[in-house]
Amino acid sequence: KEFEEGLARLKLPYSDEATKLFFGDRSRMSLPNIDETTSTNQIRQVYDFYDTNHDGRLTPKEFEEGLARLKLPYSDEATKLFFDKIDANHDGIIDFQEFVLFVIGRERELRALFLEMDTDQSGGIDLDELHHTLERLKIDASEDTVKALMKRVDRDNNGIIDFKEWRDLLLLVPNANIEAAFRYWQETIALDIADEPLPLVSPQRRDVYLQFAAGALSAAASKTGTAPLERLKILYQLDTAKPPSLVQGMRLLYADGGFRGLFRGNWVNILKASPEAAVKFAVFEKVKRAFASTDAELSSSQLFVAGSVGGLTSHLAGYPLDVIKTRLAAAPTGTYNGIFDCVSKIVRNEGLFFSFFPGRVNGRL
């Protein structure tokens, strides 16, 4: 009533439906206990934890440093999204009043998510309800993962997640939808592995670096392990007089160049495949983060675009080395005296640029 009277004095439109929506539908939720309601003093303690110089001006840097101390995940995009939502006057900082308004609104959103998961309306989420929610969201999680999720939030170890535990973990999650909340929840588990506060490097940047390194190392290992078969495959493709069998083909390769002959062109293969896989993994991760701050928010079409951009970029980057690898693997012994000799002869006989991109249109497709 007071709310509608205030709107009337300001000559702003209102209705019973709008007022009910603003205050929230209480028909399906019980009132929170006193200890579950965040008081102004509690909000002040949270704000002061992040506002380390206590000047009443919470900056993005202070916010990320606070998350790092708590071992909570963050990224540049998530921080920007967080500040865009809270910073009402767009001055680049969050004052205490803005933070209070955000916490009040966020608690209401988190309570709605909590009630959605608390299917028996017992006031707590148990392991079965957690399993049920993951199944409903079609999130494939092992039993160990589900238990780890429970352990991360259930601070009193009673096997039940109450609203206070739920709220304390997800209060600062960038998006208050259940998919994004679970993604954020999973990221906190990985950060719990460290015993010391994490350095101020965003998970997004760590992800890109790790994806880059993982792509490079996995490509080097796989290409080295399959190098003899790769060379035999190329000979099969180029020579109409194919060896009668796999074993006979290997014998011919060994007779042509010994044990080292089985791995001819492998260094070029590694030089091509490692950066190519590294670029593919890193670009894929970077494009995903350009679309959304977490994987839970990505659509299938966005994942398709991210994969396509990653594949195209890595393919173009590695195409010249693919040409060198094929020439070295297919040529008879003595044709080329190493990588640089091969490059020199290709440039001298066929030109500088287009000789390294034959079939480039079909290759990109």
Side-chain angles (χ1 to χ4, degrees), residues 280 283-284 287-288 301-313:
K280 183 190 298 182
V283 171
F284 176 64
V287 175
K288 286 197 302 180
S301 60
Q302 289 172 330
L303 286 171
F304 179 82
V305 171
S308 299
V309 172
L312 177 61
T313 305

Side-chain angles (χ1 to χ4, degrees), residues 62 118 144 316 364:
E62 289 176 322
D118 182 20
D144 290 341
L316 288 175
R364 284 197 296 272

Side-chain angles (χ1 to χ4, degrees), residues 26-46:
R26 302 291 179 179
S27 62
R28 61 183 294 269
M29 65 174 70
S30 59
L31 291 174
N33 297 326
I34 295 299
D35 62 347
E36 289 183 344
T37 305
T38 306
S39 66
T40 304
N41 287 337
Q42 289 174 314
I43 298 176
R44 169 59 73 179
Q45 290 175 2
V46 175

Side-chain angles (χ1 to χ4, degrees), residues 156-287:
D156 55 9
N157 297 316
N158 66 348
I160 300 292
I161 300 173
D162 60 34
F163 176 70
K164 186 175 184 298
E165 293 168 332
W166 170 262
R167 178 203 61 199
D168 289 350
L169 175 70
L170 300 173
L171 182 64
L172 302 180
V173 65
N175 293 296
N177 62 68
I178 199 161
E179 292 85 357
F182 265 99
R183 174 63 178 172
Y184 185 86
W185 193 351
Q186 288 176 312
E187 289 175 349
T188 64
I189 297 175
L191 298 184
D192 279 341
I193 296 173
D195 292 328
E196 301 296 329
L198 295 172
L200 193 57
V201 179
S202 72
Q204 174 196 340
R205 291 173 185 157
R206 283 197 300 273
D207 285 346
V208 171
Y209 297 151
L210 288 174
Q211 293 284 356
F212 193 91
L217 293 174
S218 62
S222 65
K223 291 298 181 182
T224 299
T226 60
L229 294 174
E230 178 71 17
R231 186 165 181 230
L232 183 62
K233 180 197 76 173
I234 294 174
L235 293 179
Y236 270 27
Q237 291 172 337
L238 298 179
D239 190 355
T240 56
K242 294 184 281 292
S245 67
L246 178 65
V247 175
Q248 184 64 26
M250 287 296 182
R251 286 175 178 172
L252 291 175
L253 289 177
Y254 185 81
D256 180 52
F259 181 77
R260 293 182 62 184
L262 297 175
F263 294 88
R264 184 186 302 162
N266 187 50
W267 279 115
V268 179
N269 213 4
I270 292 175
L271 288 175
K272 175 214 176 255
S274 293
E276 186 173 309
V279 169
K280 183 190 298 182
F281 278 50
V283 171
F284 176 64
E285 192 69 24
K286 196 71 175 177
V287 175

